[in-house]
Amino acid sequence: CMHTRSPQALANVSPVTHAIANTLRRVVIMLVSALVFSTRMTTLGMVGSGLAIAGSYAYSAAKSADKARAAAVEVAETRAADEECALLSPPPPSHSGPQSESYLRWWRAPRSYD
């Protein structure tokens, strides 16, 4: 059931919140299992479980941070490409004075790039 609800939850919350909820879900499953099956957890078992939970959370947080960093790089590259295009294209014509009319004629004139 969790696997069918997970994409729905991820669409409504941030990836970090989803990772925290997933980690808490693991803790609850472990505690409920220990209570239902009357299993005593040794100190070593608790330390190991805590380490596994902490590692799972750290991995999820690092993966989310990596995705956010990649998205930021993509936005920066797109912005840089847009700025480069703006520098290479001629400025837009102004709509006043005789100079603007000659510029418009030049802009609309057919060009040969041979």
Side-chain angles (χ1 to χ4, degrees), residues 6-48:
S6 185
Q8 294 170 350
L10 190 55
N12 295 325
V13 297
S14 74
V16 174
T17 304
H18 189 267
I20 292 171
N22 193 29
T23 302
L24 289 176
R25 179 184 64 89
R26 292 169 195 251
V27 171
V28 169
I29 288 172
M30 285 173 38
L31 292 175
V32 169
S33 297
L35 290 174
V36 169
F37 298 114
S38 300
T39 306
R40 281 190 45 138
M41 290 189 72
T42 64
T43 304
L44 185 60
M46 286 186 227
V47 169

Side-chain angles (χ1 to χ4, degrees), residues 51-77:
L51 190 61
I53 290 168
S56 173
Y57 173 72
Y59 174 77
S60 297
K63 191 173 178 183
S64 296
D66 191 39
K67 284 182 181 179
R69 197 174 311 118
V73 167
E74 185 177 338
V75 167
E77 287 174 352

Side-chain angles (χ1 to χ4, degrees), residues 90-94 98-108:
S94 65
Q99 182 182 7
S100 64
E101 293 302 320
S102 63
Y103 181 79
L104 284 174
R105 280 194 299 277
W106 171 83
W107 182 255
R108 293 180 184 146

